[in-house]
């Protein structure tokens, strides 16, 4: 299949088809990314694909307080300029009642139910007139108006989730979980995989078949028996059942079947002569492994390392069960899930929060993608 | 914060060095102990023991974290909600008469048939197209990207896609916006039975297609050039070549990809939990189990029974996997 | 907080230094900070240390811990139904008489609060296992006073007036109500609150209690009538923003936003006391009480049932006994443990000794008064029903109802679900 189609038409068709699929794949993530830097009001009101166009907002401001009214020939007057004018936006319509917030064009005058009149010009200068009696009350009256808000982007959403959403600390916690939970199983599995591929021993095939069988065990079933074990051991030895060490070991246990499986397949594909020659020369298996096989297995090691890193980083269930949910232990996925619950449709928090949780895996992933693919392929394609 | 980082670093050091030390010291002790003995077959004995030093820690972890819990769960499934008294098969009889369980089984079956199949098909199509395109590598990276996103993160992404803001024309979810643009009526998709299941599956397909694409892409490159050229000379069309020659050649890999994704599908949990929590007939086994174990005061008997059903449903795949391994061993 | 020193001094005399108490609960972020404040005074006075863990998934996580034999000392449950189940399983420690005495003496309608926390233990003997702490008020209708003023509407004092107002708003070309029931996995609970509020206004408290415990079946005409009364408001396309069939899809926290739009999408929103947290920023904090306000969801004048109030709240339970934990429970019945949080946000209490002045705002004070003046207090029924109903069939039933099933059919289905777990 290495030859691309010779006919240009087929090539264009292939390219177009591929483009369509790529767009389909990237649009959801793109929506998240764009939304996360949009203004929070705009985000709730218009689709992210309209991010570049201006939006019309209808809001209200209050007039100055009635004690600043002046008596003129027209009657009692409160006047001034809308605060929005300071931003330079242009008023497109206005009204004196929430039922008819857009009844007047800028510069015109509208009459309200009680006979008062209101006029606002495009620059936001307003004049509220009561011909017959003075204004009462202690608060200014509401003036409704619409204006064109140009597209704007902001990093405020990120600021909000990092501080208020507690994602900053969660980020560190997640790293604390992830690194040991990645390195330990890789080492352990490498030794086991070597034994399974090059050291003859009784029951080797049976044991390895067992490892393959364990690949499919759903880890949900393990949670309670394990936690019970943890707390028994914890009570006996006097430490907390929940903590980082417990999570590292749990991830190690859950990650081992795949690690052993992938690495054994890779190591088995190394040239037989290489290992046998070294053995004949009198090197022990320990030396053959550390000096020859390990360096040659770097792609498989790297591949599994990435796999496990992504798995642990993205895990929710294990962290929910084996770690406390207080600030010093909660991980990103759990925090994001909490946000999903409490901030239901506060999309500005969710989108930026989600993006923070995926940014590091994406970086790791794109920078090491080659290894990942190579190791995976070696493990599955014959 | 810095204290936190320090303790993490210390832990990493202890964990990693500890394991290295174990392997190094245990091997050194073995060499020293048996190296000095006068027994004639000391070399043989040493090489009989050493593999166990290598696989020992891994086997211990596998036993504690996976094997023992399976048996414990089996045992608990025959006990009551507090794991105090034996109740025989009553958890199972309850389960098989529970209408929610029937819906759950139907859903899991749908997931099992649809997700691996569509991921594999999409993966294959993209791998083929990317091979013929100048910008294939970039395309592949983009398709592969969702693999790096957590299920919860993906759920947020897609919840936004499916978002529904009431009966208004101005929808901020892109799915509803498209529906409205084509003259349809915006819907609360996640609460529309059957459709909602498909929409949840889309998320997993979106994530897993990249995996299928990479593996199948490698398999495609392994199809011998001569076979293809011979077929072209014989006047076969591209479509004929694809279905008559390429597909049979990579069939074994297709099956591997399909089963790998199928195993993942059976364990799917986070997506359903975060998107619908099993409401509106979207329940799946893994979430149903979590629900029974931890909803209200929790019922471990029933939760465990569901876990056992889940495990039994993966047994065929497990046996098939082991069988394949044994065949490979014979072939070597 | 004049009594502050008095109610603390009792605890200062105790030395619990070196003792640790683990306390798990559902409160996070702002609530968590307020609770920690309450606990800090206790720590300061006694020297004990309290480790609080808050989480959204609190219930499930505590159960995991409990099954693993790793229960916290104290746990705060939003659903009394769960407390009853745990008590029966023997997972809870009966509270000391001092706690019960304090509730009976100091809580207004103390007996009903003591009853709320009293359940049968594993051997069938009833004990008080739960202490109500941090309650919320559900019988509130939120509105924008200036919108009412502008249209010339008065605050309805009776249910009859409320119905008349609803029709009046429609006649004036407006939409009276905003209702949204979407809440992720808990979608439907908004509807259950409506039903419960109506049940309390159409039936005596004794009937309500029997309905909660299912001594009166769900599909009893009295229950079906409550569902249909909710339907009177919710299933009329003229009465609600959007359409009746879309209620289940509108996020409950978004639904009040219609009050604040120009033009207003609706004039009234029935929701519990916590809802301002979901209002647009301009309507939070000081604006509550002026720019947006609430009135009591009124009772029928024609039915002589007094002024019933529906509320919810958390029950503090002890799962793992220790000396310090018992002292902490005692502390939490003292006025100061209520006043400290009253000075923060999102806290109401029926504690009659706690100084009303301690509330951080007039709004909270006004809500606190509604509590103290209530002639009947009904605890959120769905929280007291078994999880499979109150956090399952009842919710789903509400969604089905707004999607077109009949009240009769919905009630029968909920009853069937209930029969299945008996």
């Amino acid at each position: 299949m290495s030859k691309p189609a010779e006919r240009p038409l087929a090539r264009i068709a292939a390219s177009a088809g591929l483009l369509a699929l790529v767009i389909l794949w990237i649009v959801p993530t793109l929506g998240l990314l764009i939304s996360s830097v949009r203004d929070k009001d705009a985000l709730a009101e218009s689709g992210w694909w309209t991010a570049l166009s201006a939006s019309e907002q209808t809001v209200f401001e209050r007039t100055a307080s009635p004690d600043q009214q002046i008596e003129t020939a027209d009657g009692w007057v409160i006047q001034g300029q809308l605060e929005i004018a300071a931003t330079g936006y242009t008023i497109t319509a206005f009204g004196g009642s929430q039922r008819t917030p857009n009844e007047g064009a800028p510069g015109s005058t509208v009459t309200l139910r009680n006979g008062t009149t209101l006029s606002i010009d495009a620059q936001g200068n307003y004049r509220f007139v009561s011909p017959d009696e003075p204004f009462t009350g202690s608060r200014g009256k509401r003036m409704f108006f619409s204006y064109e808000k140009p597209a704007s982007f902001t990093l405020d959403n990120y600021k909000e989730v990092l501080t208020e959403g507690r994602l900053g600390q969660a980020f560190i916690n997640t790293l604390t979980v992830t690194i040991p939970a990645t390195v330990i199983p890789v080492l352990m599995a490498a030794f086991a995989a070597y034994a399974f591929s090059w050291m003859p021993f009784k029951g080797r095939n049976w044991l390895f078949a067992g490892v393959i069988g364990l690949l499919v065990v759903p880890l949900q079933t393990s949670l309670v028996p394990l936690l019970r074990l943890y707390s028994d051991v914890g009570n006996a030895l006097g430490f907390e059942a929940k903590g980082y060490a417990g999570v590292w070991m749990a991830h190690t246990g859950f990650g081992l079947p795949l690690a052993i499986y992938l690495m054994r397949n890779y190591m088995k594909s190394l040239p037989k002569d290489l290992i046998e020659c070294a053995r004949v020369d009198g090197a022990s298996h320990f030396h053959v492994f550390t000096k020859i096989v390990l360096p040659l297995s770097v792609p498989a090691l790297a591949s599994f390392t990435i796999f496990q890193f992504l798995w642990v980083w993205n895990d929710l269930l294990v962290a929910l069960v084996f770690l406390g949910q207080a600030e010093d232990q909660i991980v990103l996925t759990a925090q994001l899930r909490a946000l999903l619950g409490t901030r239901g449709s506060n999309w500005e928090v969710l989108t930026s929060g989600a993006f923070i949780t995926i940014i590091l895996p994406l970086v790791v992933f794109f920078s090491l993608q080659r290894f990942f693919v190579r190791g995976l392929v070696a493990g599955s394609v014959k | 914060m810095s204290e936190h980082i320090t303790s993490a670093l210390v832990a990493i050091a202890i964990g990693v060095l500890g394991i290295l030390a174990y392997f190094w010291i245990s091997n050194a002790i073995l060499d020293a102990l048996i190296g000095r003995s006068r027994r004639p077959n000391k070399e043989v004995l040493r090489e009989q023991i050493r593999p166990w030093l290598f696989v020992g820690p891994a086997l211990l972890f596998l036993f504690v974290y996976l094997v023992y819990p399976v048996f414990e769960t089996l045992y608990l499934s025959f006990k009551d909600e507090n794991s105090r008294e034996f109740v025989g098969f009553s958890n199972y009889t309850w389960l098989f008469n529970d209408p929610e369980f029937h819906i759950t089984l139907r859903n899991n079956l749908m997931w099992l048939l649809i997700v691996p199949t569509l991921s594999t098909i999409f993966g294959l199509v993209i791998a083929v197209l990317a091979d013929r395109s100048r910008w294939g590598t970039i395309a592949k990276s983009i398709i592969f990207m969702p693999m790096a996103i957590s299920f919860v993160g993906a759920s947020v992404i897609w919840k936004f896609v499916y978002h529904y803001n009431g009966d208004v024309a101005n929808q901020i979810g892109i799915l509803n916006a498209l529906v409205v643009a084509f003259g349809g009526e915006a819907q609360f998709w996640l609460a529309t039975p059957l459709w909602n299941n498909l929409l949840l599956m889309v998320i997993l397909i979106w994530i897993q297609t990249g995996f299928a694409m990479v593996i199948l892409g490698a398999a495609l490159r392994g199809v011998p050039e001569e076979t293809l050229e011979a077929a072209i000379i014989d006047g076969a069309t591209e479509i004929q070549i694809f279905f008559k020659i390429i597909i049979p050649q990579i069939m074994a890999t297709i099956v591997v990809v399909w089963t790998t994704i199928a195993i993942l599908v059976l364990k799917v949990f986070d997506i359903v939990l975060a998107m619908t929590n099993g409401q509106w007939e979207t329940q799946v086994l893994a979430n149903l189990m979590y629900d029974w174990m931890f909803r209200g005061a929790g019922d471990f008997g029933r939760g465990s029974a569901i876990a056992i059903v889940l495990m039994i449903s993966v047994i065929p795949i497990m046996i098939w996997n082991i069988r394949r391994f044994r065949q490979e061993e014979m072939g070597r | 907080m004049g009594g502050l020193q008095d109610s603390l001094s009792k605890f200062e005399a105790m030395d619990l230094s070196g003792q640790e108490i683990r306390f798990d609960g559902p409160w996070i972020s702002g609530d968590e900070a307020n609770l920690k404040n309450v606990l800090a005074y206790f720590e300061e006075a006694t020297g004990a240390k309290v480790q609080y863990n808050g989480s959204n998934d609190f219930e499930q996580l505590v159960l995991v811990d409990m099954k693993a034999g790793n229960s916290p000392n104290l746990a705060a449950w939003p659903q009394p139904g769960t407390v009853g189940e745990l008590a029966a399983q023997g997972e809870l420690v009966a509270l000391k008489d001092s706690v019960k005495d304090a509730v009976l003496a100091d809580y207004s309608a103390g007996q009903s609060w003591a009853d709320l926390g009293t359940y049968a233990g594993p051997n069938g003997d009833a004990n008080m296992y739960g202490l109500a702490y941090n309650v919320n008020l559900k019988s509130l209708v939120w509105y924008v006073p200036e919108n009412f003023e502008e249209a010339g509407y008065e605050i309805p004092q009776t249910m009859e007036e409320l119905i008349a107002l609803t029709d009046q708003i429609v006649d004036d070309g407006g939409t009276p109500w905003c209702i949204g029931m979407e809440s992720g996995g808990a979608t439907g609970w908004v509807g259950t609150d409506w039903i419960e509020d109506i049940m309390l206004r159409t039936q005596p408290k004794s009937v309500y209690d029997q309905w909660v415990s299912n001594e009166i079946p769900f599909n009893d005409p009295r229950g079906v009538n409550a569902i249909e009364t909710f339907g009177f408001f919710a299933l009329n396309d003229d009465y609600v923003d959007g359409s009746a069939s879309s209620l289940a899809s509108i996020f409950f926290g978004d639904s009040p936003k219609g009050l604040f739009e120009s033009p207003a999408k609706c004039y009234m929103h029935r929701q519990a006391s916590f809802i301002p947290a979901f209002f647009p920023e301009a309507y939070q904090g000081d604006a509550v009480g002026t720019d947006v306000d609430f009135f009591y969801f009124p009772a029928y004048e024609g039915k002589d049932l007094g002024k019933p109030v529906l509320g919810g709240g958390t029950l503090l339970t002890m799962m793992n006994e220790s000396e310090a934990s018992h002292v902490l429970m005692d502390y939490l019945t003292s006025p100061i443990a209520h006043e400290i949080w009253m000075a923060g946000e999102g806290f109401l209490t029926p504690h009659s000794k706690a100084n009303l002045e301690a509330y951080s705002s007039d709004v909270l004070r006004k809500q606190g008064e509604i509590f103290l003046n209530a002639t009947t207090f009904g605890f959120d029924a769905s929280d007291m029903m078994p999880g499979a109903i109150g956090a399952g069939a009842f919710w789903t039933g509400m969604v089905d109802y707004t999607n077109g099933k009949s009240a009769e059919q919905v009630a029968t289905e909920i009853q069937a679900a209930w029969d299945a777990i008996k």
Side-chain angles (χ1 to χ4, degrees):
Chain A
M1 289 292 292
S2 56
K3 289 268 176 317
E6 310 297 339
R7 285 156 299 171
L9 203 66
R11 190 147 123 199
I12 291 168
S15 237
L18 189 61
L19 186 67
L21 284 166
V22 166
I23 290 175
L24 205 62
W25 245 255
I26 200 153
V27 157
T29 322
L30 201 65
L32 180 84
L33 180 61
I34 293 176
S35 300
S36 72
V37 293
R38 289 186 73 199
D39 186 74
K40 115 168 129 184
D41 297 326
L43 179 55
E45 260 161 33
S46 60
W48 54 266
W49 52 93
T50 63
L52 288 174
S53 52
S55 59
E56 175 148 322
Q57 306 267 332
T58 302
V59 295
F60 72 83
E61 276 186 26
R62 289 180 188 281
T63 60
S65 126
D67 56 20
Q68 288 179 31
Q69 61 188 305
I70 44 174
E71 205 179 338
T72 68
D74 301 338
W76 285 267
V77 175
I78 304 176
Q79 55 189 5
Q81 195 177 31
L82 296 175
E83 281 168 29
I84 197 89
T87 59
Y89 300 151
T90 311
I91 309 299
T92 54
F94 73 96
S97 150
Q98 55 88 10
R99 290 179 183 216
T100 50
N102 287 324
E103 64 180 314
S108 67
T109 301
V110 298
T111 308
L112 275 65
R113 285 199 342 163
N114 52 8
T116 54
T117 62
L118 172 66
S119 67
I120 301 181
D121 68 11
Q123 284 70 48
N125 296 304
Y126 67 85
R127 187 175 154 88
F128 213 148
V129 185
S130 175
D132 307 321
E133 52 187 350
F135 291 100
T136 54
S138 59
R139 312 186 71 198
K141 310 290 168 210
R142 295 186 297 178
M143 299 174 291
F144 296 84
F145 58 91
S146 302
Y147 65 98
E148 286 272 307
K149 188 171 186 187
S152 68
F153 296 95
T154 163
L155 288 178
D156 288 353
N157 302 334
Y158 284 92
K159 259 183 229 155
E160 187 182 342
V161 287
L162 281 175
T163 52
E164 209 179 303
R166 305 199 297 186
L167 282 180
Q169 174 70 45
F171 196 92
I172 306 265
N173 295 345
T174 310
L175 269 182
T176 314
V177 171
T178 308
I179 296 173
T182 304
V183 179
I184 297 171
V186 170
L187 280 172
M188 219 181 257
F191 276 93
Y194 176 80
F196 278 125
S197 29
W198 296 111
M199 296 164 87
F201 62 93
K202 247 196 194 140
R204 184 175 78 166
N205 282 354
W206 280 110
L207 277 175
F208 189 65
V211 172
I212 296 177
L214 290 178
L215 273 174
V216 300
V217 173
L219 69 86
Q220 285 96 333
T221 57
S222 302
L223 301 179
V224 170
L226 285 178
L227 199 62
R228 193 175 283 175
L229 186 74
Y230 274 24
S231 74
D232 288 348
V233 175
N235 288 341
L237 302 179
F239 58 81
E240 282 282 312
K242 293 190 169 194
Y244 286 111
V247 176
W248 296 332
M249 293 202 289
H251 276 304
T252 303
F254 299 142
L256 275 176
L258 184 68
I260 297 175
Y261 178 70
L262 281 182
M263 281 191 240
R264 179 203 171 268
N265 282 353
Y266 192 92
M267 288 181 188
K268 193 81 189 174
S269 69
L270 295 172
K272 206 174 178 179
D273 300 350
L274 198 70
I275 287 125
E276 278 171 2
C277 282
R279 292 283 295 146
V280 170
D281 288 348
S284 78
H285 271 301
F286 187 73
H287 281 112
V288 175
F289 173 67
T290 50
K291 299 272 154 58
I292 301 172
V293 173
L294 207 53
L296 285 175
S297 305
V298 167
L301 287 177
S303 154
F304 177 73
T305 305
I306 300 167
F307 215 108
Q308 178 78 357
F309 173 85
L310 292 178
W311 162 251
V312 176
W313 185 275
N314 291 336
D315 156 78
L316 170 67
L317 190 56
V318 176
L320 270 185
V321 173
F322 291 104
L323 274 182
Q325 299 304 305
E327 202 164 329
D328 60 333
Q329 291 189 340
I330 195 164
V331 295
L332 280 175
T333 44
Q335 187 62 37
L336 185 63
R337 157 131 168 72
L339 288 177
L340 256 179
T342 47
R343 300 297 189 90
S345 63
N346 274 17
W347 286 111
E348 76 278 5
V349 174
L350 287 178
T351 51
S352 48
F355 198 73
I356 289 172
T357 66
I358 65 178
I359 186 78
L360 188 69
L362 281 184
V363 169
V364 168
F365 182 77
F366 277 119
S367 49
L368 299 173
Q369 194 181 0
R370 256 175 342 124
F371 294 105
F372 190 39
V373 171
R374 221 193 303 165
L376 265 186
V377 168
S380 350
V381 181
K382 285 283 158 290
Chain B
M1 198 84 114
S2 67
E3 171 201 347
H4 212 79
I5 297 170
T6 324
S7 65
L9 289 176
V10 170
I12 294 167
I14 293 176
V16 174
L17 292 179
I19 285 177
L20 284 178
Y22 157 79
F23 284 113
W24 192 77
I25 294 172
S26 65
N27 278 282
I29 290 176
L30 182 68
D31 285 338
L33 276 186
I34 299 187
R36 270 193 225 110
S37 99
R38 298 243 169 88
R39 292 170 55 183
N41 57 349
K42 63 181 183 187
E43 186 70 16
V44 176
L45 182 66
R46 195 163 64 190
E47 294 317 312
Q48 272 171 356
I49 294 177
R50 199 189 306 273
W52 298 102
L53 296 182
F54 274 49
V55 294
L59 291 184
L60 179 74
F61 267 81
L62 289 175
F63 181 81
V64 172
Y65 284 88
L66 292 166
V67 180
Y68 150 74
V70 167
F71 287 101
E72 174 81 10
T73 305
L74 186 63
Y75 170 73
L76 289 179
S77 74
F78 294 106
K79 298 184 96 178
D80 69 358
E81 71 263 29
N82 303 316
S83 318
R84 291 207 177 109
E85 277 165 43
F86 276 99
V87 292
F89 280 90
S90 77
N91 288 325
Y92 291 93
T93 43
W94 162 79
L95 189 60
F96 286 103
N97 289 316
D98 180 34
E100 194 184 8
F101 179 67
H102 298 154
I103 293 177
T104 307
L105 274 188
R106 179 202 71 189
N107 290 347
N108 259 73
L109 197 66
M110 276 167 61
W111 278 84
L112 190 61
L113 291 177
I114 295 174
V115 174
T117 309
L118 286 186
S119 303
T120 312
I121 292 175
F122 274 118
L124 186 58
V125 168
I126 293 167
V128 170
L129 294 180
D131 258 356
R132 298 158 172 243
S133 165
R134 287 206 190 109
W135 52 285
T137 331
I138 302 170
K140 282 203 269 188
S141 286
I142 290 172
I143 305 280
F144 203 28
M145 182 193 67
M147 278 283 282
I149 298 176
S150 68
F151 287 164
V152 185
S155 298
V156 172
I157 292 176
W158 284 90
K159 215 169 184 183
F160 195 46
V161 171
Y162 301 151
H163 184 77
Y164 169 68
N165 38 327
D167 288 339
V168 291
N170 178 26
Q171 293 287 334
I172 66 168
I174 194 164
L175 178 62
N176 272 321
L178 286 175
V179 168
V180 170
F182 285 104
E185 202 173 305
Q187 294 262 338
F188 186 25
W189 294 105
L190 289 178
T192 316
L194 284 184
W195 277 107
N196 51 9
N197 277 302
L198 288 175
L199 295 176
L200 297 190
M201 290 179 209
V202 164
I203 304 175
L204 198 57
I205 295 172
W206 181 71
I207 295 176
Q208 288 300 319
T209 295
F211 168 76
M213 173 198 74
V214 165
I215 309 285
L216 293 172
L220 285 176
R221 260 168 262 126
V223 176
E225 197 89 354
E226 306 86 69
T227 328
L228 298 178
E229 271 162 19
I232 292 170
I233 292 168
D234 286 351
T237 67
E238 283 210 41
I239 296 192
Q240 281 173 332
I241 294 176
F242 185 73
F243 283 105
K244 298 249 168 76
I245 298 173
I246 296 177
I247 296 270
Q249 285 262 356
I250 61 169
M251 203 57 204
T253 314
I254 290 181
V255 174
V256 171
V257 168
W258 195 93
T259 40
T260 312
I261 300 176
I263 293 171
L264 187 84
V265 164
L266 282 171
K267 298 192 214 169
V268 69
F269 161 78
D270 313 34
I271 292 178
V272 175
L273 179 76
M275 296 290 282
T276 61
N277 199 9
Q279 279 210 339
W280 306 299
E281 299 179 18
T282 55
Q283 193 62 283
V284 293
L285 280 174
N287 195 53
L288 183 69
M289 176 184 101
Y290 187 78
D291 232 34
W292 272 103
M293 287 198 162
F294 307 122
R295 184 172 67 185
D299 186 330
F300 268 46
R302 290 178 177 184
S304 299
I306 300 167
I308 294 299
V309 170
L310 183 58
M311 254 182 291
I312 289 173
S313 60
V314 287
I315 283 181
I317 302 178
M318 182 164 112
I319 290 175
W320 183 85
N321 241 343
I322 294 174
R323 261 233 189 100
R324 199 171 57 90
F325 157 72
R326 304 214 79 116
Q327 279 163 2
E328 270 168 30
E329 286 310 289
M330 309 269 240
R332 274 178 207 272
Chain C
M1 284 190 254
L4 196 149
Q5 229 37 51
D6 299 345
S7 65
L8 258 188
S9 55
K10 174 172 141 209
F11 298 98
E12 266 162 0
M14 299 183 205
D15 183 18
L16 300 172
S17 39
Q19 303 220 36
E20 276 204 30
I21 301 167
R22 190 175 133 212
F23 184 175
D24 287 6
W27 298 299
I28 56 171
S29 56
D31 290 334
E32 180 174 349
N34 283 317
L35 176 69
K36 282 184 170 165
N37 237 338
V38 173
L39 298 175
Y41 277 84
F42 175 75
E43 291 178 319
E44 177 76 12
T46 61
K49 189 151 171 28
V50 187
Q51 169 66 43
Y52 173 76
N53 289 298
S55 166
N56 275 87
D57 294 306
F58 152 80
E59 285 102 328
Q60 291 169 349
L61 295 171
V62 169
L63 284 172
V64 173
D65 284 356
M66 181 186 96
K67 299 282 178 182
N70 187 31
S71 299
N73 296 109
L74 299 191
W77 300 91
Q79 305 194 318
T82 311
V83 173
E85 290 175 54
L86 293 175
Q89 290 181 16
E91 298 286 355
L92 301 180
V93 180
L95 301 178
K96 288 202 167 155
D97 286 343
S98 55
V99 175
K100 187 174 184 175
D101 294 343
V103 169
L104 287 175
D106 296 347
Y107 278 35
S108 75
Q111 187 62 49
S112 66
W113 291 106
D115 290 348
L116 183 67
T118 303
Y119 297 92
N123 51 8
D125 297 343
N127 278 307
M128 185 160 143
Y129 288 99
L131 165 68
Y133 182 74
N134 190 354
V135 297
N136 59 56
L137 187 57
K138 289 177 185 274
S139 308
L140 300 177
V141 179
W142 297 85
Y143 72 108
V144 175
E146 278 169 302
N147 287 355
F148 264 49
E149 221 170 86
E150 210 180 274
Y153 301 145
E154 298 289 331
I155 291 173
Q157 300 300 323
T158 64
M159 186 58 89
E160 287 85 352
E161 285 178 29
L162 180 67
I163 291 168
L165 174 62
T166 299
D167 285 326
Q168 169 81 44
I169 293 173
V170 176
D171 289 347
D172 292 349
T175 306
W177 296 94
C178 279
I179 304 176
M181 303 209 300
E182 202 266 338
S183 182
T187 299
W189 66 262
V190 175
T192 68
D193 278 8
W194 271 86
I195 308 284
E196 290 154 12
D197 240 341
I198 292 165
M199 202 65 192
L200 280 172
R201 278 158 184 73
T202 52
Q203 302 298 333
K205 178 71 180 350
S206 57
V207 172
Y208 181 83
D209 290 340
Q210 287 170 305
W211 177 69
V212 169
S213 57
N214 207 227
E215 283 159 53
I216 292 175
F218 223 97
N219 47 356
D220 182 276
R222 289 167 282 190
V224 174
N225 173 58
I227 301 179
E228 279 168 349
T229 310
F230 168 54
F232 167 80
F233 289 104
L235 295 191
N236 185 333
D237 281 352
D238 290 337
Y239 284 178
V240 291
D241 180 38
S243 66
S245 58
S246 71
L247 302 186
S249 66
I250 301 170
F251 177 58
F252 80 91
D254 278 350
S255 55
K257 288 178 181 156
L259 292 172
F260 311 114
E261 299 208 14
S262 319
K265 284 189 171 160
C266 59
Y267 283 81
M268 294 180 282
H269 180 67
R270 198 215 70 92
Q271 189 52 279
S273 48
F274 64 81
I275 196 66
F278 291 89
F279 289 168
E281 250 164 72
Y283 291 93
Q284 296 186 10
D286 290 345
V288 181
T290 51
D291 290 351
V292 56
D293 208 344
F294 59 87
F295 57 83
Y296 166 71
F297 186 60
Y300 285 94
E301 195 176 22
K303 305 189 198 250
D304 191 21
L305 293 169
K307 284 195 163 195
V309 162
L310 179 72
T314 40
L315 281 182
L316 302 183
T317 62
M318 189 175 300
M319 303 188 76
N320 209 340
E321 198 167 14
S322 77
E323 187 206 341
S325 313
H326 278 298
V327 178
L328 178 55
M329 272 292 182
D330 275 332
Y331 167 74
L332 290 168
T333 62
S334 69
I336 180 170
H338 294 248
E339 286 164 357
I340 296 169
W341 201 337
M342 284 159 83
E345 283 201 23
F347 183 90
L348 292 173
T349 180
H351 201 300
S352 58
K353 297 263 170 68
N355 191 345
L356 277 176
E357 295 301 313
Y359 279 118
S360 60
S361 69
D362 289 339
V363 176
L364 286 175
R365 198 167 303 123
K366 201 167 125 195
Q367 292 173 359
E369 278 167 17
I370 291 182
F371 248 116
L372 297 176
N373 294 337
T375 54
T376 317
F377 178 75
F379 198 93
D380 187 343
S382 59
D383 285 347
M384 296 207 281
M385 294 171 179
I389 307 300
F394 198 177
W395 289 348
T396 323
M398 290 300 99
V399 176
D400 291 344
Y401 183 55
T402 57
N403 281 342
K405 277 195 193 170
S406 75
E408 184 75 46
Q409 200 182 350
V410 166
T412 307
E413 280 173 15
I414 300 173
Q415 185 56 40
W418 208 322
D419 293 337
I421 56 163
K422 272 183 179 166

